Amino acid sequence: MNNKLTAAERKHLQRVKSLPCSVCNSPPPSAAHHINQGQQYTTVALCYDCHQGTMGWHGTKALWRIRKMDQLDALNETIRRLIEDGYQVERSDTKDF
Ligand SMILES: [Zn+2]
Ligand SMILES: [Zn+2]
C-alpha cells in the first residue's frame, strides 16, 4: 500500500487530530481513525478509549453502542466540527464566473 501522504492530506489529518472525540467529546488531541485504510478524508477523530480501548471501535464497540453510533455517525460529527471551525480549502485553481 502507498503510505505517502500529500501535504494537504497531512494537514487534514492534523486538523482531525486537533478535534475532540467524535463519539464521547473527550478533549483533543485525538487519534485519526481510518474507516478505509489509506483514505485520509474519511478519518474520524477518536479518543483512546473510543478508538483502541477495550470498549472502543477496535474492541467490543460498547462505547459506540451506548451512544447508538456507527462510523458514519462519527464521521459526520468530525466533518461537522471541521466545517463549523471554519475549514479552509486551499484551491489550486480559480474560476471566474
Ligand atoms: Zn471518545
Ligand atoms: Zn482505528
Side-chain angles (χ1 to χ4, degrees):
M1 195 172 71
N2 183 8
N3 286 321
K4 284 219 173 98
L5 302 182
T6 66
E9 285 173 333
R10 270 197 300 275
K11 194 167 181 183
H12 178 77
L13 286 177
Q14 284 315 114
R15 282 164 160 158
V16 168
K17 290 175 185 173
S18 74
L19 295 173
C21 176
S22 292
V23 173
C24 75
N25 298 315
S26 287
S30 295
H33 165 68
H34 289 75
I35 293 178
N36 285 343
Q37 286 307 315
Q39 297 182 356
Q40 312 309 322
Y41 293 113
T42 47
T43 50
V44 175
L46 293 179
C47 72
Y48 180 81
D49 285 348
C50 294
H51 188 213
Q52 294 182 302
T54 342
M55 298 192 293
W57 184 262
H58 297 291
T60 65
K61 301 183 175 64
L63 291 172
W64 293 63
R65 276 198 301 275
I66 291 165
R67 291 169 198 269
K68 298 182 165 51
M69 288 182 77
D70 61 20
Q71 290 185 106
L72 284 183
D73 294 317
L75 178 63
N76 182 71
E77 186 61 16
T78 295
I79 293 172
R80 185 185 68 73
R81 285 185 166 136
L82 287 171
I83 289 172
E84 291 183 3
D85 285 353
Y87 196 88
Q88 298 286 320
V89 177
E90 278 140 53
R91 295 174 192 280
S92 54
D93 62 328
T94 47
K95 285 185 181 144
D96 294 317
F97 289 99

